[in-house]
Amino acid sequence: MSDTPSSPASMTDRRMIWADTAKALAIVLVVLHHTVSKHVDLLVPDTLAGVEAGWLGVTHALKIVRMPLFFLVSGLLAGPSLTRQWRDVAGKRVLNVYFLYAAWLVIHMGVFMVLVDLPMNRVRGGTELVADLVVASSGLWYLYALVAYFLVARLVTSADPRIVVAVAAVVSLAAPALGIDAVNRESLLQHFVYFAFGAFFPHVVWGMARLDRRDTTLLASATAVAFTAHLAITVGGETTRFVVSVLAVPLAVRGAAALAQWSPAASVGSFLGARTLPIYVLHVPVLAVVHVLLVDIVRFEGTGPASVLAVALYPLLITGVVVLGCFVVQHALTRVGFAWLFAPPFGRPRSSLGRQPEAVPSPAARAASAS
């Protein structure tokens, strides 16, 4: 069901709600993924391994929408800045975000020299720090990607956007064959296609948010068939994964838009979606602390219904605890003079990490501004 606001301002507000809700979904799925794969995986005994495997299967399956959705919305919100004067966007979209990346990369390096139990992609020492400042490989790669993707997209604004997205898709498919050791460096090559599509085809993304019931049902059916084929086919895994992702991401957008129509979900989505930065940069250190506190306390025993239910609900509980913990730590850091870790020196970042108030122009307006 589509929404037809009565004014441009209300249209922008409504679109911001669903975009924030989409970002909220994406960041919560990121936290859930790390909770399951880095924390729960180390606590569950062999007797309940089947429940744990179920969670691992779910979070692995959600890979097709988790970061693609995040980057699609990131590109959508960054799109209007691509054709603006460099002096108007360099600080906010490049220097700010890279500053955040570098600052938190150093902080994470220090944190994980102390909290060594969580099996995360991390920087160990000065050599790796320098390497990651050049090309990201740690869990903070999304921040680096925002800068790199914006710069690349700005360089190719004069090219046919269909060719840009097609080339990005080819690069995404070819990335696994390059033999890149660091999984996040491979991800850097794989996700630009979603950012570029959001930036260059905003009205298509808005159309995804307004899919009617019939189109949504058809798309869901196609996604289910493609995903089943992806699981069944033993060769060409990256190709089938990409196809499933291309089909599933519009469903995720439509789902976020549907949730945004429900006031409680819209309120939570708007709150979290406008505050993804502290969750993103803090959730792994917070999870590491939670792991240290709970690893010798939490015990899952037996194989009865109560134990199965406990393991099934535990990842959701810890995900909520970690998200809340991120805001507690942010508040504490802000109170003692470290607000600059969330609002860097070049002004508030207007990236997908926070609320983005600017409207995305129509194709005609984009053409006029580019000419």
Side-chain angles (χ1 to χ4, degrees), residues 264-341:
S267 297
V268 174
S270 294
F271 180 85
L272 293 179
R275 294 166 178 83
T276 54
L277 172 60
I279 301 174
Y280 182 74
V281 297
L282 286 170
H283 79 275
V284 176
V286 170
L287 180 61
V289 172
V290 169
H291 181 77
V292 170
L293 293 176
L294 297 183
V295 68
D296 293 324
I297 297 175
V298 174
R299 289 288 183 271
F300 297 106
E301 298 178 350
T303 58
S307 297
V308 171
L309 182 62
V311 176
L313 295 179
Y314 183 76
L316 299 176
L317 173 64
I318 297 303
T319 295
V321 168
V322 170
V323 170
L324 179 61
C326 291
F327 292 127
V328 171
V329 175
Q330 181 200 18
H331 179 72
L333 288 173
T334 301
R335 289 290 297 271
V336 297
F338 289 94
W340 53 272
L341 288 172

Coordinates of all heavy atoms in Angstrom, one line a residue, residues 264-341:
P264 N 4.4 2.1 16.9 CA 5.5 1.7 17.8 C 6.8 1.3 17.1 O 7.9 1.7 17.5 CB 4.9 0.5 18.5 CG 3.4 0.7 18.4 CD 3.2 1.4 17.1
A265 N 6.6 0.6 15.9 CA 7.8 0.2 15.2 C 8.5 1.4 14.5 O 9.7 1.5 14.5 CB 7.4 -0.8 14.1
A266 N 7.7 2.4 14.1 CA 8.2 3.6 13.5 C 9.0 4.4 14.5 O 10.1 5.0 14.2 CB 7.1 4.4 12.9
S267 N 8.5 4.4 15.8 CA 9.2 5.2 16.8 C 10.5 4.5 17.1 O 11.6 5.2 17.2 CB 8.3 5.2 18.1 OG 7.1 5.9 17.8
V268 N 10.5 3.2 17.3 CA 11.8 2.5 17.6 C 12.7 2.6 16.4 O 13.9 2.8 16.5 CB 11.5 1.0 17.9 CG1 12.8 0.3 18.1 CG2 10.7 0.9 19.2
G269 N 12.2 2.4 15.2 CA 13.0 2.5 14.0 C 13.6 3.9 13.8 O 14.8 4.0 13.4
S270 N 12.9 4.9 14.0 CA 13.4 6.3 13.9 C 14.5 6.5 14.9 O 15.5 7.1 14.6 CB 12.3 7.3 14.1 OG 11.3 7.2 13.0
F271 N 14.3 6.0 16.1 CA 15.3 6.3 17.2 C 16.6 5.5 16.9 O 17.7 6.1 16.9 CB 14.7 5.8 18.5 CG 15.7 6.0 19.7 CD1 15.8 7.2 20.3 CD2 16.5 4.9 20.1 CE1 16.6 7.4 21.4 CE2 17.4 5.1 21.1 CZ 17.5 6.3 21.8
L272 N 16.5 4.2 16.6 CA 17.7 3.5 16.3 C 18.3 3.8 15.0 O 19.6 3.9 14.9 CB 17.4 2.0 16.3 CG 16.9 1.4 17.7 CD1 16.6 -0.1 17.5 CD2 18.0 1.5 18.7
G273 N 17.5 4.1 14.0 CA 18.0 4.4 12.7 C 18.8 5.7 12.6 O 19.7 5.8 11.8
A274 N 18.4 6.6 13.5 CA 19.2 7.9 13.5 C 20.4 7.8 14.4 O 21.1 8.8 14.6 CB 18.2 9.0 14.0
R275 N 20.6 6.7 15.0 CA 21.7 6.5 16.0 C 22.5 5.2 15.7 O 22.9 4.5 16.7 CB 21.1 6.5 17.4 CG 20.5 7.8 17.8 CD 19.7 7.7 19.1 NE 19.1 9.0 19.5 CZ 18.0 9.5 19.0 NH1 17.3 8.9 18.0 NH2 17.6 10.7 19.4
T276 N 22.6 4.9 14.5 CA 23.4 3.6 14.2 C 24.9 3.8 14.5 O 25.5 2.7 14.7 CB 23.1 3.2 12.7 OG1 23.5 4.3 11.9 CG2 21.7 2.8 12.5
L277 N 25.4 5.0 14.5 CA 26.8 5.2 14.7 C 27.3 4.6 16.0 O 28.2 3.8 16.1 CB 27.2 6.6 14.6 CG 28.7 7.0 14.9 CD1 29.7 6.2 14.1 CD2 28.9 8.5 14.9
P278 N 26.7 5.0 17.2 CA 27.2 4.5 18.4 C 27.0 2.9 18.5 O 27.8 2.2 19.1 CB 26.4 5.2 19.5 CG 25.2 5.8 18.8 CD 25.7 6.1 17.4
I279 N 25.9 2.4 17.9 CA 25.7 1.0 18.0 C 26.8 0.3 17.1 O 27.4 -0.7 17.6 CB 24.3 0.6 17.4 CG1 23.2 1.2 18.2 CG2 24.2 -0.9 17.4 CD1 21.8 1.0 17.7
Y280 N 27.1 0.8 16.0 CA 28.1 0.2 15.1 C 29.5 0.2 15.7 O 30.1 -0.9 15.7 CB 28.1 0.9 13.7 CG 29.1 0.3 12.8 CD1 28.7 -1.0 12.1 CD2 30.3 0.8 12.5 CE1 29.6 -1.6 11.3 CE2 31.2 0.2 11.6 CZ 30.8 -1.0 11.0 OH 31.7 -1.6 10.2
V281 N 29.9 1.3 16.2 CA 31.3 1.4 16.7 C 31.5 0.8 18.1 O 32.6 0.4 18.4 CB 31.8 2.8 16.7 CG1 31.8 3.4 15.3 CG2 31.0 3.7 17.6
L282 N 30.4 0.7 18.9 CA 30.5 0.2 20.2 C 30.1 -1.2 20.5 O 30.4 -1.8 21.5 CB 29.7 1.1 21.2 CG 30.4 2.5 21.5 CD1 29.3 3.4 22.2 CD2 31.6 2.4 22.3
H283 N 29.3 -1.8 19.5 CA 28.6 -3.1 19.9 C 29.6 -4.2 20.1 O 29.4 -5.1 21.0 CB 27.6 -3.4 18.9 CG 28.1 -4.0 17.6 ND1 28.5 -3.3 16.5 CD2 28.2 -5.3 17.2 CE1 28.9 -4.1 15.5 NE2 28.7 -5.3 15.9
V284 N 30.7 -4.2 19.4 CA 31.7 -5.3 19.5 C 32.4 -5.2 20.9 O 32.6 -6.2 21.6 CB 32.6 -5.4 18.3 CG1 33.7 -6.5 18.6 CG2 31.8 -5.8 17.1
P285 N 33.0 -4.0 21.2 CA 33.6 -3.9 22.6 C 32.6 -4.2 23.7 O 33.0 -4.9 24.7 CB 34.0 -2.4 22.6 CG 34.3 -2.1 21.2 CD 33.2 -2.8 20.4
V286 N 31.3 -3.7 23.5 CA 30.3 -4.1 24.6 C 30.1 -5.6 24.6 O 30.0 -6.2 25.7 CB 29.0 -3.3 24.3 CG1 27.9 -3.8 25.2 CG2 29.2 -1.8 24.5
L287 N 30.0 -6.2 23.5 CA 29.8 -7.6 23.4 C 31.0 -8.4 24.0 O 30.8 -9.4 24.7 CB 29.6 -8.1 22.0 CG 29.3 -9.6 21.8 CD1 28.1 -10.1 22.5 CD2 29.2 -9.9 20.3
A288 N 32.2 -7.9 23.8 CA 33.3 -8.5 24.4 C 33.3 -8.4 25.9 O 33.6 -9.4 26.6 CB 34.6 -7.8 23.9
V289 N 32.8 -7.3 26.5 CA 32.7 -7.2 27.9 C 31.6 -8.1 28.4 O 31.8 -8.8 29.5 CB 32.4 -5.7 28.3 CG1 32.0 -5.6 29.8 CG2 33.5 -4.8 28.0
V290 N 30.5 -8.2 27.7 CA 29.4 -9.1 28.1 C 29.9 -10.5 28.1 O 29.6 -11.3 29.0 CB 28.2 -8.9 27.2 CG1 27.2 -10.0 27.4 CG2 27.5 -7.5 27.4
H291 N 30.7 -10.8 27.1 CA 31.2 -12.2 27.0 C 32.1 -12.6 28.2 O 32.0 -13.6 28.8 CB 32.0 -12.4 25.7 CG 32.6 -13.7 25.5 ND1 31.9 -14.8 25.1 CD2 33.9 -14.2 25.7 CE1 32.6 -15.9 25.0 NE2 33.8 -15.6 25.4
V292 N 33.0 -11.6 28.6 CA 33.9 -11.9 29.8 C 33.0 -12.0 31.0 O 33.3 -12.9 31.9 CB 34.8 -10.7 29.9 CG1 35.6 -10.8 31.3 CG2 35.8 -10.7 28.8
L293 N 32.0 -11.2 31.2 CA 31.1 -11.3 32.4 C 30.3 -12.6 32.5 O 30.0 -13.1 33.6 CB 30.2 -10.1 32.4 CG 30.9 -8.7 32.6 CD1 29.9 -7.6 32.5 CD2 31.6 -8.7 33.9
L294 N 29.9 -13.1 31.3 CA 28.9 -14.2 31.3 C 29.5 -15.6 31.0 O 28.9 -16.6 31.2 CB 27.8 -13.9 30.3 CG 26.9 -12.7 30.6 CD1 25.8 -12.6 29.5 CD2 26.3 -12.7 32.0
V295 N 30.7 -15.6 30.4 CA 31.2 -16.9 29.9 C 31.4 -17.9 31.0 O 31.2 -19.1 30.7 CB 32.6 -16.7 29.2 CG1 33.7 -16.3 30.2 CG2 33.0 -17.9 28.4
D296 N 31.6 -17.5 32.2 CA 31.8 -18.5 33.3 C 30.5 -18.6 34.2 O 30.5 -19.3 35.2 CB 33.0 -18.1 34.2 CG 34.3 -18.2 33.5 OD1 34.4 -19.2 32.7 OD2 35.2 -17.4 33.7
I297 N 29.5 -17.8 33.8 CA 28.3 -17.8 34.6 C 27.1 -18.5 33.9 O 26.4 -19.3 34.5 CB 27.8 -16.3 34.9 CG1 28.9 -15.6 35.7 CG2 26.5 -16.3 35.6 CD1 28.6 -14.2 36.0
V298 N 26.9 -18.3 32.6 CA 25.8 -18.8 31.9 C 26.1 -20.3 31.6 O 27.1 -20.7 31.2 CB 25.7 -18.1 30.5 CG1 24.6 -18.8 29.7 CG2 25.3 -16.7 30.7
R299 N 25.1 -21.1 32.0 CA 25.2 -22.6 31.8 C 23.9 -23.1 31.2 O 22.8 -22.9 31.8 CB 25.4 -23.3 33.2 CG 26.8 -23.1 33.8 CD 27.9 -23.8 33.0 NE 29.2 -23.7 33.6 CZ 30.0 -22.7 33.3 NH1 29.7 -21.8 32.4 NH2 31.2 -22.6 33.9
F300 N 24.0 -23.7 30.0 CA 22.9 -24.3 29.4 C 23.0 -25.8 29.6 O 23.9 -26.4 29.1 CB 22.8 -24.0 27.9 CG 22.6 -22.5 27.6 CD1 23.7 -21.8 27.1 CD2 21.4 -21.9 27.8 CE1 23.6 -20.4 26.8 CE2 21.3 -20.6 27.5 CZ 22.3 -19.8 27.0
E301 N 22.1 -26.4 30.4 CA 22.2 -27.8 30.7 C 20.9 -28.5 30.3 O 19.8 -28.0 30.3 CB 22.4 -28.0 32.3 CG 23.7 -27.3 32.7 CD 23.9 -27.5 34.2 OE1 23.0 -27.9 34.9 OE2 25.0 -27.1 34.7
G302 N 21.1 -29.8 30.0 CA 20.0 -30.7 29.7 C 19.6 -30.5 28.2 O 20.1 -29.6 27.5
T303 N 18.6 -31.2 27.8 CA 18.1 -31.2 26.4 C 16.6 -31.0 26.4 O 16.0 -31.2 25.3 CB 18.5 -32.4 25.7 OG1 18.0 -33.6 26.3 CG2 20.0 -32.6 25.6
G304 N 16.0 -30.7 27.5 CA 14.5 -30.5 27.6 C 14.1 -29.3 26.9 O 14.8 -28.4 26.5
P305 N 12.7 -29.1 26.9 CA 12.1 -27.9 26.2 C 12.6 -26.6 26.9 O 12.8 -25.6 26.1 CB 10.6 -28.1 26.5 CG 10.5 -29.6 26.6 CD 11.7 -30.1 27.3
A306 N 12.8 -26.6 28.2 CA 13.2 -25.4 28.8 C 14.6 -25.0 28.4 O 14.9 -23.8 28.1 CB 13.2 -25.5 30.3
S307 N 15.5 -25.9 28.2 CA 16.9 -25.6 27.8 C 16.9 -25.2 26.3 O 17.6 -24.2 25.9 CB 17.8 -26.9 27.9 OG 17.9 -27.2 29.3
V308 N 16.1 -25.9 25.5 CA 16.0 -25.5 24.1 C 15.5 -24.0 24.0 O 16.0 -23.2 23.2 CB 15.1 -26.5 23.3 CG1 14.8 -25.9 21.9 CG2 15.7 -27.8 23.3
L309 N 14.4 -23.7 24.7 CA 13.9 -22.4 24.7 C 14.9 -21.3 25.2 O 15.0 -20.2 24.6 CB 12.6 -22.3 25.6 CG 11.8 -21.0 25.6 CD1 11.3 -20.6 24.2 CD2 10.7 -21.0 26.6
A310 N 15.6 -21.7 26.2 CA 16.6 -20.7 26.7 C 17.7 -20.4 25.7 O 18.0 -19.2 25.5 CB 17.3 -21.3 28.0
V311 N 18.2 -21.4 25.0 CA 19.2 -21.2 23.9 C 18.6 -20.4 22.8 O 19.2 -19.6 22.1 CB 19.8 -22.5 23.5 CG1 20.7 -22.3 22.3 CG2 20.5 -23.2 24.6
A312 N 17.3 -20.7 22.5 CA 16.6 -20.0 21.3 C 16.4 -18.6 21.6 O 16.5 -17.7 20.7 CB 15.3 -20.7 21.1
L313 N 16.1 -18.2 22.9 CA 15.9 -16.8 23.2 C 17.1 -16.0 23.6 O 17.1 -14.8 23.5 CB 14.8 -16.7 24.4 CG 13.4 -17.3 24.0 CD1 12.5 -17.2 25.3 CD2 12.8 -16.5 22.9
Y314 N 18.1 -16.7 24.0 CA 19.3 -16.1 24.6 C 20.0 -15.1 23.6 O 20.3 -13.9 24.0 CB 20.3 -17.1 25.0 CG 21.6 -16.5 25.6 CD1 21.6 -16.1 26.9 CD2 22.8 -16.5 24.9 CE1 22.7 -15.5 27.5 CE2 23.9 -16.0 25.5 CZ 23.9 -15.5 26.8 OH 25.0 -15.0 27.3
P315 N 20.1 -15.4 22.3 CA 20.7 -14.4 21.4 C 19.9 -13.1 21.3 O 20.5 -12.0 21.2 CB 20.8 -15.2 20.0 CG 20.8 -16.6 20.4 CD 19.9 -16.7 21.7
L316 N 18.6 -13.2 21.3 CA 17.8 -12.0 21.2 C 17.9 -11.2 22.5 O 18.0 -9.9 22.4 CB 16.3 -12.4 21.1 CG 15.9 -13.2 19.8 CD1 14.5 -13.6 19.8 CD2 16.2 -12.4 18.6
L317 N 18.0 -11.8 23.6 CA 18.2 -11.1 24.9 C 19.5 -10.4 24.9 O 19.6 -9.2 25.2 CB 18.1 -12.1 26.1 CG 18.5 -11.5 27.5 CD1 17.5 -10.4 27.8 CD2 18.5 -12.6 28.5
I318 N 20.6 -11.1 24.5 CA 21.9 -10.4 24.5 C 22.0 -9.3 23.5 O 22.7 -8.3 23.7 CB 23.0 -11.5 24.3 CG1 23.0 -12.5 25.5 CG2 24.4 -10.9 24.2 CD1 23.2 -11.9 26.9
T319 N 21.4 -9.5 22.4 CA 21.4 -8.5 21.4 C 20.8 -7.2 21.9 O 21.3 -6.1 21.8 CB 20.6 -8.9 20.1 OG1 21.3 -10.0 19.5 CG2 20.5 -7.8 19.1
G320 N 19.7 -7.3 22.6 CA 19.0 -6.2 23.3 C 19.9 -5.5 24.3 O 20.1 -4.3 24.4
V321 N 20.6 -6.4 25.1 CA 21.5 -5.9 26.2 C 22.7 -5.1 25.5 O 23.1 -4.1 26.0 CB 22.0 -7.1 27.0 CG1 23.2 -6.6 27.9 CG2 20.9 -7.7 27.9
V322 N 23.2 -5.6 24.5 CA 24.3 -5.0 23.8 C 23.9 -3.6 23.2 O 24.7 -2.7 23.4 CB 24.9 -5.9 22.7 CG1 26.0 -5.2 21.9 CG2 25.6 -7.1 23.4
V323 N 22.8 -3.6 22.5 CA 22.3 -2.3 22.0 C 22.1 -1.3 23.1 O 22.6 -0.1 22.9 CB 21.0 -2.5 21.2 CG1 20.4 -1.2 20.8 CG2 21.3 -3.4 19.9
L324 N 21.5 -1.7 24.2 CA 21.3 -0.8 25.3 C 22.6 -0.4 25.9 O 22.9 0.8 26.2 CB 20.4 -1.5 26.4 CG 20.2 -0.6 27.6 CD1 19.4 0.7 27.3 CD2 19.4 -1.4 28.6
G325 N 23.6 -1.3 26.0 CA 24.9 -1.0 26.5 C 25.6 0.0 25.7 O 26.4 0.8 26.2
C326 N 25.4 0.0 24.4 CA 26.1 0.9 23.5 C 25.6 2.4 23.8 O 26.5 3.3 23.9 CB 25.7 0.6 22.0 SG 26.5 -0.9 21.4
F327 N 24.4 2.6 24.1 CA 23.9 3.9 24.4 C 24.4 4.3 25.8 O 24.6 5.5 26.0 CB 22.4 3.9 24.3 CG 21.8 3.8 22.9 CD1 20.9 2.9 22.6 CD2 22.3 4.6 21.9 CE1 20.4 2.7 21.3 CE2 21.8 4.5 20.6 CZ 20.9 3.6 20.3
V328 N 24.5 3.4 26.7 CA 25.0 3.7 28.1 C 26.5 4.2 27.9 O 26.9 5.2 28.5 CB 24.9 2.5 29.0 CG1 25.6 2.7 30.3 CG2 23.4 2.1 29.3
V329 N 27.3 3.4 27.2 CA 28.7 3.8 27.0 C 28.8 5.1 26.3 O 29.6 6.0 26.7 CB 29.4 2.7 26.3 CG1 30.9 3.1 26.0 CG2 29.4 1.4 27.1
Q330 N 28.0 5.3 25.2 CA 28.0 6.6 24.5 C 27.7 7.8 25.5 O 28.4 8.8 25.5 CB 27.0 6.6 23.4 CG 27.0 7.9 22.6 CD 25.7 8.2 21.8 OE1 24.7 7.5 22.1 NE2 25.8 9.0 20.8
H331 N 26.7 7.6 26.3 CA 26.3 8.7 27.3 C 27.4 8.9 28.2 O 27.8 10.1 28.5 CB 25.0 8.2 28.0 CG 24.6 9.2 29.0 ND1 24.0 10.4 28.7 CD2 24.6 9.2 30.4 CE1 23.7 11.1 29.8 NE2 24.1 10.4 30.8
A332 N 28.1 7.9 28.7 CA 29.2 8.0 29.7 C 30.3 8.7 29.0 O 30.9 9.7 29.6 CB 29.6 6.7 30.2
L333 N 30.7 8.3 27.8 CA 31.8 9.0 27.1 C 31.5 10.4 26.8 O 32.4 11.3 26.9 CB 32.1 8.2 25.8 CG 32.7 6.9 25.9 CD1 32.8 6.2 24.6 CD2 34.1 7.0 26.5
T334 N 30.3 10.7 26.4 CA 29.9 12.1 26.2 C 30.0 13.0 27.4 O 30.4 14.1 27.4 CB 28.5 12.2 25.6 OG1 28.4 11.4 24.4 CG2 28.0 13.6 25.3
R335 N 29.6 12.4 28.5 CA 29.6 13.2 29.8 C 31.0 13.5 30.3 O 31.2 14.5 30.9 CB 28.9 12.4 30.9 CG 27.4 12.3 30.7 CD 26.7 13.6 31.0 NE 26.9 14.1 32.3 CZ 26.1 13.8 33.4 NH1 25.1 13.0 33.2 NH2 26.4 14.3 34.6
V336 N 32.0 12.7 29.9 CA 33.4 12.9 30.4 C 34.2 13.6 29.3 O 35.5 13.6 29.4 CB 34.0 11.7 30.9 CG1 33.3 11.1 32.1 CG2 34.1 10.6 29.8
G337 N 33.6 14.2 28.2 CA 34.4 14.9 27.3 C 34.8 14.3 26.0 O 35.6 14.8 25.2
F338 N 34.2 13.1 25.7 CA 34.5 12.4 24.5 C 33.4 12.4 23.5 O 33.3 11.5 22.6 CB 34.9 11.0 24.8 CG 36.3 10.9 25.5 CD1 36.3 10.8 26.9 CD2 37.4 10.9 24.7 CE1 37.5 10.7 27.5 CE2 38.7 10.8 25.4 CZ 38.7 10.7 26.8
A339 N 32.6 13.5 23.5 CA 31.5 13.6 22.5 C 32.0 13.6 21.1 O 31.3 13.3 20.1 CB 30.7 14.8 22.8
W340 N 33.3 14.1 20.9 CA 33.9 14.2 19.6 C 34.0 12.8 18.9 O 34.2 12.7 17.7 CB 35.2 14.9 19.6 CG 36.2 14.3 20.6 CD1 36.3 14.6 21.9 CD2 37.2 13.2 20.4 NE1 37.3 13.8 22.5 CE2 37.8 13.0 21.6 CE3 37.5 12.5 19.2 CZ2 38.8 12.0 21.7 CZ3 38.5 11.6 19.3 CH2 39.2 11.3 20.6
L341 N 33.9 11.7 19.7 CA 34.0 10.4 19.1 C 32.7 10.1 18.3 O 32.6 9.1 17.5 CB 34.2 9.3 20.1 CG 35.6 9.3 20.7 CD1 35.6 8.3 21.9 CD2 36.6 8.9 19.7

